[in-house]
Amino acid sequence: MRHTSKRARRKQLRRKIGAFPAVLRSSRPGIHFTATIYATLAPEPSGPYDPDEIADLVRTALRTTAAAAVRDQDPIDLPAAEDACAQQLRRPQDIDLPDRATQVTASVHLELADEDRAAVKELLTGIRAQSAADTLASQRTEALAKELAHPAALLVRWLQQPDARVSQPPEEAELEALARRLRGYPKDRDEPLELQLLSILRDFLAEFPKEEQKRLLMMLLANGMRAARKPGHADRVEALTKPDPAICETAVVGGTP
């Protein structure tokens, strides 16, 4: 160690730890963060010391801490990775110097090198393409399930089969049971609550095959709407329980001698 003044040693040490680089692995294989770490010793070493030796100790300790902080961080979300790294580095860390112990704290700035930025861009392109494909597949599945959730749709599908025997169609109960299973599958979380409720109500009413039973349930629903101070909706539900006048008139005319 060369003999230098206290002021020169302090200046040299600050220069070596005040801003130094680090290359840190991310959670994505082959993609790394490029970090600039800004360290501060408190208290600073006193007496004769080797600035290079202390700087090596500080840089090694902080690079190790930073590497552990971002090892599970996704380079796609650079701000979150920087926050996680900064949180760890701002915590005082003990450094054992040759003559005494001291503590070091640091701040950090993360970025991506050009090749890593290009890799992240390519990764995002692949993720978006896969997401679009998954969304389309999910929409097709949901649309098909919604279509086949009615016994008539199932029967039409069965009739479209090349080997379908028109004279021996599936039993009505079998079609209804299969349609009910399709309606009962869990819905997408993003599906509006109103649509989920309509599906439940349809299944509930299907459990009562007689028209008299359905009308009674609808009257109960109308009463609930009136209790909720929604008389207009109640009137519309009650109207559904009344026979169509045109149908009644046709029946009377047709039954007239």
Side-chain angles (χ1 to χ4, degrees), residues 148-152 154 170-183 202-203 205-207:
L148 299 182
H150 194 283
L154 286 172
E171 294 292 334
E172 183 177 348
E174 182 182 357
L175 291 172
E176 176 58 40
L178 184 54
R180 188 180 297 112
R181 286 184 60 187
L182 288 169
R183 294 195 298 267
R202 183 173 61 183
D203 289 345
L205 290 174
E207 295 293 328

Side-chain angles (χ1 to χ4, degrees), residues 20-24 33-38 66 85 89 108-111:
F20 61 92
V23 178
L24 313 170
F33 297 107
T34 300
T36 303
I37 301 175
Y38 308 88
C85 191
L89 291 179
V108 65
H109 172 67
L110 286 186
E111 57 184 355

Side-chain angles (χ1 to χ4, degrees), residues 1 24 27 42 46 63 72 118-119 124 158 161-163 188 195 209-210 234 240 242 244:
M1 179 181 67
L24 313 170
S27 63
S46 58
R63 281 174 176 145
D72 297 326
L124 280 172
W158 181 84
Q161 300 300 315
D163 58 346
D188 192 324
L195 292 180
K210 296 181 179 180
L240 294 176
K242 299 175 182 179
D244 190 336

Side-chain angles (χ1 to χ4, degrees), residues 5 10-12 18 33 48 56 74 83 91 110 135 141-142 167 175 216 246 254 257:
S5 67
R10 183 184 297 114
K11 185 176 180 180
Q12 184 178 356
F33 297 107
D56 288 342
D74 197 326
D83 288 345
R91 296 175 180 175
L110 286 186
T135 299
T141 300
E142 290 179 7
S167 60
L175 291 172
L216 177 59

Side-chain angles (χ1 to χ4, degrees), residues 179-198:
R180 188 180 297 112
R181 286 184 60 187
L182 288 169
R183 294 195 298 267
Y185 282 135
K187 305 299 181 183
D188 192 324
R189 291 181 180 179
D190 295 332
E191 186 177 52
L193 179 62
E194 293 84 353
L195 292 180
Q196 298 183 47
L197 181 59
L198 285 174

Side-chain angles (χ1 to χ4, degrees), residues 7 13 19 34 40 42 45 49 55 60 87 157 160 162 167-168 183 186 210 219 222:
R7 181 179 179 181
L13 177 60
T34 300
T40 302
Y49 61 85
T60 299
Q87 183 180 14
R157 284 278 181 169
Q160 291 174 343
S167 60
Q168 296 179 346
R183 294 195 298 267
K210 296 181 179 180
M219 292 300 297

